[in-house]
Amino acid sequence: TVHSSMCTHNYLLPIRKHLPNICTNSAHVIRDLTNIKLSPNDVIVCADVTSLYPSIPIEYGIHAVRKTLEQLSTLPFPPIDPSQINFFMDLLEWILRNNYLQYNLRVYHQLLGTAMCTPVDVMYADIVLSYLERPCLALKPKYYKRFLDDLCIVCDSTIKQLIIDVFNAQCPAIQLSAVTMGPNGIFLDIYISIENLCFTTKVYQKPINNYMYITPHSAHNPNVFRNIPKAELQRYRLLCSSDADFQQMVTLSYTRFLNRGYAKPFLDDIYRILPLRQPLLDKLLAPPKVLPTFSNKLIFTSMRPSLLLKLPWQPILELIPALLADYRFASAFKSYRIIVGTRNPLSSAFFLSRPRILLPNPNEPTITSL
């Protein structure tokens, strides 16, 4: 079922941005916490969903996904094609009910829950839990985010237990465990605390972490070995609100890279200038950049110019009006112009600034050939 699962995943993926309680990474958590005003009674609630994928009943999951799709289809610009809901719901149910595995020469059929590692399982679980969490969001906590099966909630102490009870009451098979409530909590790789009505954060690392970084003896590009410690330092600096906590992580990481075989002079050159937190925060909090004017064009690219020249361009160009008429394409690009060219970072600006070759019909897309 892997190909059907991938197809269904691609159909459901645009929904993610419409799920308000989904968290994508720890940097976004830091960004969100900077915008929260705390009161004396606020607490941090962290929890895990017990055995998430195997715990989702198929009937409940299909119902949750269908309801979500039907509600999103009423938006002015729906993220999915409403005419295909029934087809993909049938496909999703077929995927969920046909999970097989083999062990000791026996073939087993999974009857309950979701198969782990099938391409659609992440989006499926996100949609199901987002549907389940709606009553929790109705209680209006100050912060409610979830990354897969991990939850982080900031709320008034009077409703902390109520949120957990409401979550557990939605579906008997889907329950929360490892619940912590208080002035601090662990979410993803962040240890979050409330001190003097402000959030303080630092890096959290599990005791079983062996820090198995890629060794310098690997056949990777040399830039990889420099970027790994640099990226770690930037992550530590962003997550550590205290300079003392950051310095402790610098010392620990330096030792860990030495233990993995990195040369001391190599590390000394990287650790000589440590990143500052404020520029990282400014970049994180900055508004989205306005896309340049040429971003409203679809670019057909090729890695190799030799391959580009061998392509049968006439049939491809004849397909362009059909592409523009397609519902998903039209909703994303509308009547924007199309560029055909090679992918070359060194000459992309030159390429995008070339004069356009206008077609006879002004309603047709403009095509540039390089």
Side-chain angles (χ1 to χ4, degrees), residues 43-178:
V43 295
I44 301 172
V45 180
C46 295
D48 294 337
V49 181
T50 305
S51 303
L52 173 58
Y53 296 136
S55 299
I56 303 177
I58 294 178
E59 292 79 7
Y60 181 84
I62 293 173
H63 170 77
V65 175
R66 179 177 288 278
K67 286 295 184 182
T68 303
L69 294 180
E70 290 175 351
Q71 291 174 0
L72 291 176
S73 66
T74 61
L75 295 176
F77 298 99
I80 44 92
D81 185 350
S83 65
Q84 296 183 342
I85 291 179
N86 290 333
F87 168 75
F88 278 102
M89 289 307 306
D90 291 343
L91 193 61
L92 177 62
E93 183 172 2
W94 180 78
I95 295 167
L96 296 174
R97 297 191 184 279
N98 287 277
N99 292 318
Y100 297 89
L101 60 100
Q102 183 175 347
Y103 177 74
N104 265 2
L105 302 180
R106 287 192 175 187
V107 177
Y108 294 85
H109 181 199
Q110 181 175 344
L111 300 178
L112 303 175
T114 308
M116 298 180 66
C117 297
T118 188
V120 77
D121 60 3
V122 175
M123 277 307 307
Y124 169 70
D126 268 344
I127 296 173
V128 173
L129 285 187
S130 294
Y131 176 82
L132 180 149
E133 291 167 327
R134 291 177 183 179
C136 300
L137 296 176
L139 298 174
K140 299 188 181 303
K142 289 189 175 180
Y143 185 68
Y144 190 112
K145 290 293 181 181
R146 175 177 50 78
F147 182 86
L148 296 181
D149 59 346
D150 293 339
L151 270 76
C152 180
I153 307 167
V154 178
C155 63
D156 191 276
S157 59
T158 58
I159 64 170
K160 61 182 181 181
Q161 187 60 47
L162 179 59
I163 293 178
I164 301 300
D165 294 340
V166 168
F167 186 103
N168 290 334
Q170 302 306 306
C171 180
I174 304 176
Q175 300 291 298
L176 293 177
S177 61

Side-chain angles (χ1 to χ4, degrees), residues 234 277-287 289:
Q234 290 184 0
R277 190 167 193 259
Q278 193 57 47
L280 296 175
L281 283 174
D282 293 340
K283 183 178 180 180
L284 189 63
L285 298 173
K289 293 183 178 180

Side-chain angles (χ1 to χ4, degrees), residues 23 25-38 43-46 142-145 152-155 183 185-194 197-202 238-239 241 277 281 284-285:
C23 170
N25 56 54
S26 54
H28 289 174
V29 177
I30 298 296
R31 180 194 62 191
D32 294 340
L33 295 181
T34 59
N35 298 321
I36 299 177
K37 293 184 178 180
L38 294 171
V43 295
I44 301 172
V45 180
C46 295
K142 289 189 175 180
Y143 185 68
Y144 190 112
K145 290 293 181 181
C152 180
I153 307 167
V154 178
C155 63
I186 298 170
F187 183 53
L188 302 181
D189 57 347
I190 315 175
Y191 186 89
I192 309 172
S193 302
I194 297 178
L197 298 182
C198 294
F199 288 108
T200 62
T201 59
K202 62 181 180 180
L238 180 63
L239 301 189
S241 56
R277 190 167 193 259
L281 283 174
L284 189 63
L285 298 173

